[in-house]
Amino acid sequence: MGPMPRMDRKKMGWLLLALLLLLTGCGKREEPVTGGHAPYVEDAATGKGEYIVVGFSQIGSESDWRIGSTESFRSTFTAENGYYLIYDDAQQKQENQLKAVRNFILQKVDYIIVDPIVETGWDAVLKEAKDAGIPVILADRSVKVEDEELYTCWVGSSFEQEGRSAGEWLREYLKKQGREDEEIRIVTLQGTLGSTAQIGRTEGFGKVLEQEKNWVMLDQQSGDFTQAKGQEVMEEFLKNYDRIDVVVCENDNMAFGAIEAIKKADKTCGPDGEIIILSFDAGRAALETLLDKDINAVFECNPKLGPLVSEIIRKLERGESVEKIQYVEEVYFDSTMDLEQIIEERTY
Ligand code: AHR
């Protein structure tokens, strides 16, 4: 038996989806569910084969960046643009992502998009998707698998480059301040351990650290990319180390938590303060904090990946080949720049 034509496959998919929704009671929901785990149908349209059905497994809503990312996918994969989006919020749990992908396979979606919380543990489920003939597109974070053919492609940031840029920026900044020969005491608030964003940023910054003999990494702990955990870890750092010169925050929200902790401890930070703060993402709130001089520099990470993934899907639909790895361009901002206009235009 040859491969099933799209119409037939789609009809069967809808039947199965309807059955699944009936069984789980999800079909009655009219408003998007943001809190629960169960997948819901984004659009009430009947489908009938005219939409490209896409299942998207999102990590959760741990940061401003993540909210921007979800918004980007929701506003791209609309019925108006020819899509039927099945969105799943994994609430920071890989087991939920694995379940979601398996549900997408059962529902016979046309494409699966995954933003994997951590890099490991994906081989089996990706093989299931491949065996079912469903292309998997990875967005933002990536996976470490035995066989790279288990996913179609990946699009996202060069996290390693972001980390390296932060280290190089710090080296130049210290030089300008005439502090290049001083001992520089650094702590890092890491993201979710084992995630591509954490691994890349830690490694990238680490490469510059290796070259700077008078930089000392006092401690590195995970703040899980959240403001609350970032604050908690920073409070510990401040208790344990009487002098900290630099805090590398692997995302904006942890930087906000760190600033809270520093202020609570009656210390100061930013270009006019005692502690240098570096952050990643460069969302609107972080740029405003840069303007308020509580952060020294932010390294951009672009969450607007929805349109790029849609372009990939369109190419695949036309039978064209796609690049296996696609990096998005990114810049950095520091407090010497004119930020007003950039802030105005920032949509996340
Ligand atoms: O994977 C991207 C990272 O995840 C962003 O830096 C962070 O804010 C998010 O939670």
Side-chain angles (χ1 to χ4, degrees):
M1 207 170 76
M4 231 185 259
R6 159 169 285 223
M7 277 300 224
D8 295 349
R9 211 174 69 127
K10 191 69 62 61
K11 269 185 200 150
M12 273 186 66
W14 287 112
L15 271 174
L16 216 82
L17 175 62
L19 194 70
L20 211 88
L21 293 176
L22 210 72
L23 289 173
T24 57
C26 296
K28 289 196 192 89
R29 286 189 194 142
E30 277 164 22
E31 290 301 316
V33 179
T34 47
H37 167 62
Y40 68 90
V41 174
E42 182 88 10
D43 191 277
T46 51
K48 295 207 177 118
E50 65 205 273
Y51 293 100
I52 298 173
V53 183
V54 171
F56 173 39
S57 169
Q58 176 61 292
I59 291 171
S61 51
E62 74 281 6
S63 63
D64 297 355
W65 189 100
R66 188 66 51 203
I67 311 285
S69 155
T70 298
E71 196 281 325
S72 173
F73 281 93
R74 280 191 198 279
S75 59
T76 303
F77 291 94
T78 59
E80 215 176 33
N81 290 340
Y83 292 106
Y84 191 110
L85 177 69
I86 307 173
Y87 172 84
D88 187 88
D89 175 345
Q91 302 193 0
Q92 315 294 323
K93 292 198 177 91
Q94 187 181 31
E95 65 199 77
N96 288 344
Q97 288 203 291
L98 297 176
K99 259 187 234 158
V101 174
R102 291 197 165 104
N103 273 335
F104 297 153
I105 297 170
L106 266 179
Q107 291 166 27
K108 296 190 188 295
V109 300
D110 295 311
Y111 295 90
I112 294 174
I113 307 167
V114 188
D115 189 334
I117 182 158
V118 289
E119 291 194 339
T120 52
W122 294 96
D123 294 75
V125 79
L126 292 186
K127 176 145 193 331
E128 289 165 36
K130 187 153 201 267
D131 290 347
I134 305 172
V136 174
I137 299 164
L138 304 175
D140 169 37
R141 302 186 192 170
S142 192
V143 295
K144 271 214 163 40
V145 281
E146 291 268 307
D147 176 7
E148 300 284 317
E149 294 304 309
L150 290 180
Y151 62 90
T152 304
C153 59
W154 168 85
V155 58
S157 309
S158 171
F159 298 110
E160 209 255 325
Q161 180 54 52
E162 290 174 2
R164 204 155 354 117
S165 301
E168 283 160 2
W169 182 91
L170 180 63
R171 175 161 53 206
E172 288 312 304
Y173 183 75
L174 292 169
K175 221 184 264 171
K176 276 186 212 143
Q177 294 197 322
R179 298 176 67 186
E180 66 265 47
D181 297 324
E182 262 179 45
E183 181 193 65
I184 303 296
R185 294 159 64 89
I186 307 171
V187 292
T188 300
L189 291 170
Q190 294 175 299
T192 302
L193 296 180
S195 67
T196 314
Q198 177 274 312
I199 296 169
R201 288 169 185 163
T202 303
E203 281 181 6
F205 188 84
K207 287 199 172 132
V208 183
L209 178 79
E210 261 169 38
Q211 298 161 5
E212 297 300 313
K213 297 298 166 226
N214 52 338
W215 291 10
V216 183
M217 183 59 74
L218 298 173
D219 215 333
Q220 313 196 82
Q221 303 274 338
S222 174
D224 229 358
F225 287 126
T226 70
Q227 178 160 347
K229 195 81 201 296
Q231 178 167 349
E232 199 182 302
V233 177
M234 188 63 207
E235 282 170 0
E236 271 312 293
F237 285 163
L238 288 163
K239 271 188 217 144
N240 296 344
Y241 307 101
D242 53 1
R243 198 192 99 216
I244 294 171
D245 299 309
V246 181
V247 189
V248 180
C249 309
E250 286 184 356
N251 83 343
D252 288 345
N253 293 81
M254 292 191 294
F256 305 146
I259 294 165
E260 283 289 318
I262 290 167
K263 292 191 172 171
K264 245 174 85 184
D266 281 329
K267 291 185 186 281
T268 56
C269 55
D272 301 328
E274 304 150 70
I275 304 177
I276 296 168
I277 306 277
L278 306 180
S279 177
F280 296 90
D281 286 353
R284 175 184 265 259
L287 294 174
E288 282 164 352
T289 312
L290 195 61
L291 200 63
D292 291 343
K293 293 196 180 299
D294 278 334
I295 292 184
N296 295 70
V298 282
F299 300 84
E300 190 178 45
C301 180
N302 187 349
K304 301 286 174 191
L305 300 177
L308 291 174
V309 175
S310 171
E311 251 174 57
I312 291 170
I313 290 178
R314 293 295 168 183
K315 276 192 180 172
L316 293 170
E317 285 288 293
R318 293 194 295 268
E320 293 170 21
S321 61
V322 295
E323 283 174 56
K324 187 78 181 180
I325 292 179
Q326 252 187 71
Y327 290 112
V328 291
E329 277 192 26
E330 291 167 337
V331 294
Y332 76 86
F333 306 96
D334 66 27
S335 57
T336 64
M337 296 173 178
D338 188 5
L339 298 166
E340 308 272 355
Q341 180 73 18
I342 298 159
I343 292 174
E344 190 130 312
E345 287 162 8
R346 212 61 166 173
T347 54
Y348 63 95

